[in-house]
């Protein structure tokens, strides 16, 4: 990806495009393509101290100041601030000089981000990588001068806060110790040590607190959008005219690091190229999605195994998201070792037949308030076998757990989750939200879906059928499951099909049958073991394309519903009220493509549904697929700018149903 000067000069366009790079631990770096801090999650080093959680912003930015040494001019008239353009101005959140706009020549992202500038006869490139497996960010500068000598000062803006928060002036005391390569920083609020190092620059102490960083996205979302940063001083280097100098600045929590920026760049290029080499029948779109997939597969310290971050910049690892996303992220990318680790990682946390719903970012014990996460686990195991045929792994590690999960669901487990007499699965009550439509506001469920939900019972049937086949394979008793399967087959369509709407009831609770047209019925059309015949499947898809489909996924609620909300914006309350009330979810493009292929057998239509995502990879976050979009045209991207199950399902559907 390359963005030229013309786009970068359009400030309102460029400020809404961001890059994301990660370190395989849950840590990350992210800024806009025109080098702004647009949100509290912007920064060059957000370290994960208890992978993949407990993430803290340590290095926010590097501010470059260039002094032109020209005998024909006064030096003080030729000081240029390359990246210091965030001003505390609430009417115009960023005051950007015409100088700054004209200086940036391009932004490129090929494995890693690169900013290019042309400043008074001087070319400056700035490349950024993270060291995989370490809380280390490397910023490499390349300076080519022509007619002038220059002096470059680089001021680091440091912090020490949770990545969800902001810092006020003097929130921490920073103790610094200079050394020959830079400075080591310790803090009075925790035991973090941050090293700022350079291979060629000198460091000069000049302490100060900086408050000129309004995060315009946070202000738009009704959050506190002003942050203070501490600067311990600045790095300095002189470059003579007609010369080329390369140097690096490294921010790290490690003690023993290389100071050679090219070492880290080359290592990351090799690592990512090795990921691409695993893929057969590659094309440019697949390559981009494979690189995007890598951002989400991270280590979990508590298990010593891999897990999946649900989305950046604010999510941790969620059970449901992981099981849906891992098919595309690990199986379609031939990362089978990672897939095995993920399955085992969540197995370690099974409790009363449930996998965790989520792991809090604070590192506390996991939460189990989910009815579908565990059922998606069965689908992930099914797909693992489809890709690997590795039955030995399942028999040796998972088969007992899988049968135990089914039995817990039959007899009943947490949150009133239990099989009813008709074979269908029910769960929850007025006080719980157990499906993926899980928002509660002031204790009120925005989308109440307790009782028997359509996709839950499709997943339940899928799990029962899979376990019958799996137990047959392993000569384990399965006849009780056969009886459940027969019950579900007798009751599913009779219970959930609504002739009036030509679609499925969304959920049933006692005598209440919810007729709202939601995307959940599409899941029932897409699973490996489906109860829906061709006739009903085609009718359901007709309704979906009329009321739910958009170019970026499916609406969570029909645009004809009186409760439909077409825009996801405003403060937290306003956003929560629209999250599942019309917002488009990118991950649902996977189920609708799979269902279209199954019931309509129209590959060209499936191809058409993939196309918008090829452009979207350059739209909001480079190589990222947004969590959600507005439910009405122009379908602006919203929510997390890089979501695991969005990337995973687009990649899965493209490889399995389109290619």
């Amino acid at each position: 990806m390359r963005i030229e000067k013309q786009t970068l000069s359009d400030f309102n366009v460029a400020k809404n495009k961001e890059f994301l790079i990660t370190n395989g631990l849950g840590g990350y770096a992210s800024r806009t393509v025109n080098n702004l801090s647009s949100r509290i999650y912007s920064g060059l080093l957000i370290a994960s101290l208890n992978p993949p959680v407990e993430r803290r912003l340590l290095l926010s930015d590097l501010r470059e100041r260039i002094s032109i040494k020209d005998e024909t001019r006064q030096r003080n008239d030729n000081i240029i601030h390359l990246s210091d353009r965030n001003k505390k101005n609430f009417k115009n959140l960023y005051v950007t000089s015409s100088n700054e706009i004209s200086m940036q020549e391009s932004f490129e992202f090929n494995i890693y981000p690169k900013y290019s500038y042309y400043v008074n006869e001087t070319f400056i490139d700035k490349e950024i990588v993270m060291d995989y497996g370490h809380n280390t960010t490397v910023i490499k500068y390349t300076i080519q001068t022509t007619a002038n000598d220059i002096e470059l000062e680089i001021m680091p803006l440091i912090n020490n806060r949770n990545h969800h928060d902001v810092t006020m002036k003097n929130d921490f005391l920073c103790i610094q110790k200079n050394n020959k390569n830079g400075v080591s920083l310790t803090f009075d609020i925790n035991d973090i040590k941050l090293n700022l190092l350079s291979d060629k620059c000198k460091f000069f102490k000049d302490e100060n607190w900086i408050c000129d960083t309004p995060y315009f996205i946070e202000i738009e979302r009704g959050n506190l959008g002003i942050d203070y940063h501490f600067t311990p001083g600045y790095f300095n280097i002189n470059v003579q005219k007609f010369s080329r100098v390369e140097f690096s600045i490294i921010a790290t929590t490690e003690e023993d690091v290389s100071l050679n920026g090219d070492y880290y760049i080359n290592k990351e290029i090799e690592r990512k190229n090795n990921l691409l080499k695993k893929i057969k029948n590659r094309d440019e779109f697949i390559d981009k999605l494979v690189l995007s997939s890598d951002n989400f597969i991270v280590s979990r310290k508590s298990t010593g195994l891999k897990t999946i971050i649900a989305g950046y910049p604010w999510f941790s690892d969620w059970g449901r998201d992981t099981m849906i996303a891992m098919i595309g992220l690990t199986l379609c990318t031939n990362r089978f070792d990672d897939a095995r680790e993920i399955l085992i990682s969540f197995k370690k946390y099974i409790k009363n037949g449930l996998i965790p719903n989520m792991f809090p970012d604070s590192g506390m014990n996991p939460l189990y308030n989910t009815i579908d996460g565990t059922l998606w686990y069965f689908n992930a195991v099914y797909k693992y076998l489809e890709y690997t045929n590795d039955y030995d792994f399942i028999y040796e590690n998972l088969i007992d757990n899988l049968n135990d999960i089914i039995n817990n669901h039959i007899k009943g487990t947490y949150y009133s989750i239990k099989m009813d007499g008709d074979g269908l699965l029910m769960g929850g009550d007025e006080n719980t939200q157990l499906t993926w439509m899980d928002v509660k506001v002031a204790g009120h469920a925005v989308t109440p879906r307790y009782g028997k939900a359509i996709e839950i019972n499709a997943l339940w049937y899928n799990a029962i059928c899979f376990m019958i086949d799996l137990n047959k394979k392993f000569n384990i008793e399965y006849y009780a499951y056969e009886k459940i399967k027969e019950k579900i087959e007798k009751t599913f369509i009779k219970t959930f099909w609504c002739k009036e709407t030509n679609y499925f009831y969304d959920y049933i609770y006692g005598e209440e049958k919810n007729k709202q047209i939601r995307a959940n019925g599409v899941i029932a059309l897409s699973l490996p073991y489906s109860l829906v015949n061709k006739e009903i499947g085609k009718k359901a898809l007709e309704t979906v394309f009329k009321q739910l489909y958009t170019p970026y996924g499916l609406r969570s609620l029909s645009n004809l519903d009186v409760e439909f909300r077409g825009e996801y914006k405003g403060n937290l309350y306003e956003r929560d009220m629209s999250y599942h009330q019309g917002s488009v979810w990118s991950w649902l493009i996977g189920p609708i493509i799979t269902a279209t292929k199954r019931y309509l057998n129209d590959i060209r239509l499936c191809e058409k549904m993939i196309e918008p995502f090829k452009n979207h990879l350059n739209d909001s976050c480079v190589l990222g697929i947004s969590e959600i979009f507005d439910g009405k045209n122009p379908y602006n991207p919203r929510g997390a700018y890089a979501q695991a199950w969005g990337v995973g399902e687009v990649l899965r559907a493209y490889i399995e149903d389109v290619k």
Side-chain angles (χ1 to χ4, degrees):
M1 174 188 175
R2 180 181 173 92
I3 300 176
E4 301 290 351
K5 177 187 287 290
Q6 288 73 18
T7 300
L8 293 167
S9 296
D10 189 335
F11 181 75
N12 288 323
V13 172
K15 73 181 179 67
N16 289 310
K17 295 179 182 290
E18 301 172 76
F19 79 79
L20 169 72
I21 55 175
T22 60
N23 66 355
L25 300 176
Y28 61 95
S30 180
R31 294 180 65 76
T32 68
V33 298
N34 57 346
N35 202 20
L36 298 178
S37 295
S38 61
R39 57 177 91 225
I40 58 175
Y41 304 97
S42 299
L44 293 175
L45 176 58
I46 294 92
S48 177
L49 305 180
N50 181 22
V53 294
E54 295 182 21
R55 288 169 284 185
R56 297 190 74 82
L57 172 68
L58 299 181
L59 176 63
S60 174
D61 193 10
L62 295 177
R63 298 283 177 86
E64 302 93 350
R65 186 174 79 166
I66 301 167
S67 298
I68 308 297
K69 297 181 178 180
D70 184 346
E71 295 83 357
T72 64
R73 307 172 188 169
Q74 293 295 318
R75 178 180 170 182
N76 288 341
D77 292 334
N78 293 283
I79 296 177
I80 298 170
H81 295 267
L82 187 65
S83 61
D84 186 10
R85 63 210 160 281
N86 299 14
K87 304 300 180 184
K88 187 177 180 181
N89 184 325
F90 289 94
K91 292 183 180 178
N92 181 12
L93 293 180
Y94 286 97
V95 179
T96 306
S97 69
S98 58
N99 249 354
E100 190 278 326
I101 292 176
S102 65
M103 287 191 297
Q104 188 176 357
E105 293 295 304
S106 66
F107 172 87
E108 295 178 63
F109 196 102
N110 182 11
I111 304 293
Y112 57 87
K114 176 181 177 181
Y115 295 89
S116 295
Y117 301 87
Y118 181 64
V119 187
N120 285 34
E121 299 85 45
T122 299
F123 298 89
I124 300 176
D125 290 336
K126 180 178 178 179
E127 301 165 281
I128 306 167
V129 296
M130 297 193 82
D131 188 22
Y132 191 78
H134 301 94
N135 287 312
T136 300
T137 299
V138 179
I139 303 95
K140 180 192 173 186
Y141 290 86
T142 302
I143 299 177
Q144 176 71 62
T145 61
T146 55
N148 298 311
D149 296 344
I150 70 165
E151 180 180 3
L152 178 63
E153 294 179 356
I154 302 173
M155 180 177 68
L157 299 189
I158 68 157
N159 218 306
N160 186 347
R161 63 163 171 82
N162 187 294
H163 72 151
H164 300 305
D165 299 332
V166 294
T167 294
M168 302 307 293
K169 187 176 182 179
N170 298 320
D171 269 359
F172 57 79
L173 175 65
C174 185
I175 302 98
Q176 59 177 297
K177 182 179 179 181
N178 286 24
N179 56 57
K180 65 177 182 178
N181 297 118
V183 61
S184 295
L185 307 171
T186 55
F187 304 85
D188 65 333
I189 57 173
N190 51 35
D191 59 359
I192 292 173
K193 183 176 181 180
L194 175 65
N195 294 310
L196 297 172
L197 308 169
S198 179
D199 53 346
K200 295 178 182 176
C201 295
K202 294 181 179 180
F203 184 82
F204 295 89
K205 183 176 180 178
D206 186 12
E207 296 183 350
N208 198 10
W209 279 91
I210 305 292
C211 179
D212 61 357
T213 308
Y215 303 121
F216 69 88
I217 289 179
E218 305 303 333
I219 294 171
E220 290 172 357
R221 289 162 63 92
N223 300 331
L224 183 61
I226 297 296
D227 210 3
Y228 279 83
H229 301 292
F230 178 78
T231 176
Y234 59 90
F235 290 94
N236 177 276
I237 192 169
N238 290 281
V239 185
Q240 295 181 338
K241 61 184 176 183
F242 298 115
S243 65
R244 174 187 174 90
V245 174
E246 298 181 3
F247 64 91
S248 300
I249 292 176
I250 297 171
T252 181
T253 60
E254 308 278 334
E255 288 297 325
D256 186 18
V257 296
S258 170
L259 299 180
N260 183 353
D262 284 333
Y263 163 76
Y264 298 98
I265 289 174
N266 292 333
K267 186 167 74 165
E268 187 65 357
I269 290 173
E270 181 180 9
R271 188 183 71 84
K272 290 191 173 178
N273 280 336
N274 285 336
L275 296 178
L276 295 173
K277 289 176 183 177
K278 292 182 178 181
I279 312 301
K280 297 179 181 178
N281 300 319
R282 289 167 49 190
D283 60 26
E284 182 180 352
F285 187 50
I286 287 177
D287 282 359
K288 289 180 177 181
L289 291 173
V290 169
L291 294 177
S292 183
S293 298
D294 183 58
N295 289 327
F296 304 100
I297 302 169
V298 300
S299 296
R300 169 158 277 283
K301 184 178 179 181
S302 66
T303 61
L305 301 168
K306 290 292 195 297
T307 185
I308 289 177
I309 287 285
Y312 291 93
W314 50 72
F315 286 110
S316 60
D317 41 345
W318 287 61
R320 173 192 306 115
D321 300 53
T322 295
M323 297 310 135
I324 294 171
M326 69 163 277
I327 300 164
L329 302 189
T330 67
L331 301 179
C332 292
T333 59
N334 294 324
R335 297 178 67 158
F336 302 133
D337 288 342
D338 292 335
R340 284 187 283 272
E341 288 194 18
I342 290 165
L343 292 174
I344 294 295
S345 193
F346 275 83
K347 166 200 160 177
K348 288 177 178 290
Y349 284 97
I350 292 174
K351 188 175 181 181
N352 282 11
L354 298 177
I355 69 165
N357 182 35
M358 69 165 293
F359 293 88
D361 201 31
S362 60
M364 296 185 300
N365 291 330
L367 305 178
Y368 287 86
N369 54 326
T370 174
I371 189 172
D372 56 342
T374 311
L375 300 177
W376 281 111
Y377 188 85
F378 285 87
N379 195 61
V381 175
Y382 171 89
K383 296 297 286 188
Y384 171 80
L385 288 172
E386 184 179 88
Y387 275 82
T388 67
N389 204 37
D390 185 7
Y391 282 90
D392 289 343
F393 170 76
I394 302 303
Y395 184 75
E396 293 168 5
N397 295 280
L398 297 181
I399 187 61
D400 291 339
N401 302 93
L402 295 173
N403 280 306
D404 184 64
I405 289 172
I406 294 292
N407 291 326
N408 269 278
H409 281 66
I410 292 171
K411 69 182 182 181
T413 183
Y414 298 134
Y415 303 105
S416 302
I417 298 171
K418 184 179 181 180
M419 187 183 74
D420 201 3
D422 57 5
L424 298 178
L425 193 66
M426 60 191 303
D429 55 34
E430 295 90 338
N431 300 311
T432 57
Q433 288 285 75
L434 304 180
T435 75
W436 72 280
M437 294 184 167
D438 55 2
V439 173
K440 293 179 75 173
V441 176
H444 167 72
V446 180
T447 52
R449 303 187 68 241
Y450 45 87
K452 299 173 183 177
I454 174 65
E455 84 282 10
I456 301 306
N457 280 284
L459 285 161
W460 174 237
Y461 178 77
N462 191 66
I464 291 292
C465 291
F466 173 51
M467 290 307 298
I468 291 170
D469 290 345
L470 200 57
N471 282 351
K472 283 181 181 178
K473 174 80 173 179
F474 297 143
N475 294 316
I476 297 173
E477 194 278 322
Y478 59 88
Y479 298 109
Y481 298 166
E482 288 274 19
K483 292 180 180 179
I484 295 172
K485 177 176 180 284
E486 292 171 3
K487 283 185 178 181
I488 299 172
E489 288 172 344
K490 288 179 181 178
T491 58
F492 184 86
I493 295 298
K494 186 167 105 173
T495 301
F496 286 106
W497 184 248
C498 179
K499 292 182 180 179
E500 180 183 343
T501 60
N502 227 26
Y503 197 60
F504 304 99
Y505 292 112
D506 191 54
Y507 69 91
I508 294 167
Y509 185 71
E511 297 300 316
E512 179 186 356
K513 294 187 175 183
N514 185 276
K515 297 179 182 179
Q516 288 183 302
I517 306 299
R518 295 187 179 275
N520 302 303
V522 177
I523 297 170
L525 303 177
S526 66
L527 295 169
Y529 299 90
S530 178
L531 282 157
V532 183
N533 62 36
K534 288 276 187 182
E535 180 185 0
I536 290 178
K538 288 181 179 180
K539 288 180 179 179
L541 286 175
E542 181 181 347
T543 301
V544 169
F545 280 109
K546 285 181 179 178
Q547 300 187 46
L548 297 175
Y549 177 77
T550 78
Y552 299 104
L554 300 183
R555 297 184 181 96
S556 44
L557 179 65
S558 166
N559 59 342
L560 303 181
D561 196 293
V562 294
E563 296 181 5
F564 172 75
R565 289 176 176 249
E567 292 183 300
Y568 179 85
K569 63 181 184 179
N571 60 32
L572 179 60
Y573 173 81
E574 292 169 325
R575 298 195 310 273
D576 277 350
M577 293 303 292
S578 62
Y579 201 41
H580 299 112
Q581 293 293 88
S583 293
V584 173
W585 288 75
S586 59
W587 78 272
L588 290 168
I589 201 67
I592 185 60
I593 288 176
T594 298
T596 297
K597 182 181 179 183
R598 174 179 292 168
Y599 292 97
L600 302 181
N601 196 28
D602 192 336
I603 299 298
R604 291 187 178 181
L605 179 55
C606 294
E607 290 174 346
K608 285 292 185 183
M609 288 190 277
I610 283 288
E611 285 298 319
F613 290 94
K614 294 182 178 179
N615 292 326
H616 178 63
L617 288 177
N618 298 331
D619 183 28
S620 180
C621 176
V622 179
L623 301 188
I625 292 179
S626 297
E627 176 191 16
I628 57 175
F629 298 77
D630 284 340
K632 63 181 184 180
N633 211 345
Y635 312 112
N636 292 314
R638 306 287 188 181
Y641 56 56
Q643 195 75 359
W645 58 5
V647 173
E649 276 299 278
V650 169
L651 181 54
R652 181 199 63 77
Y654 185 58
I655 288 177
E656 291 186 352
D657 300 319
V658 176
K659 282 286 282 184

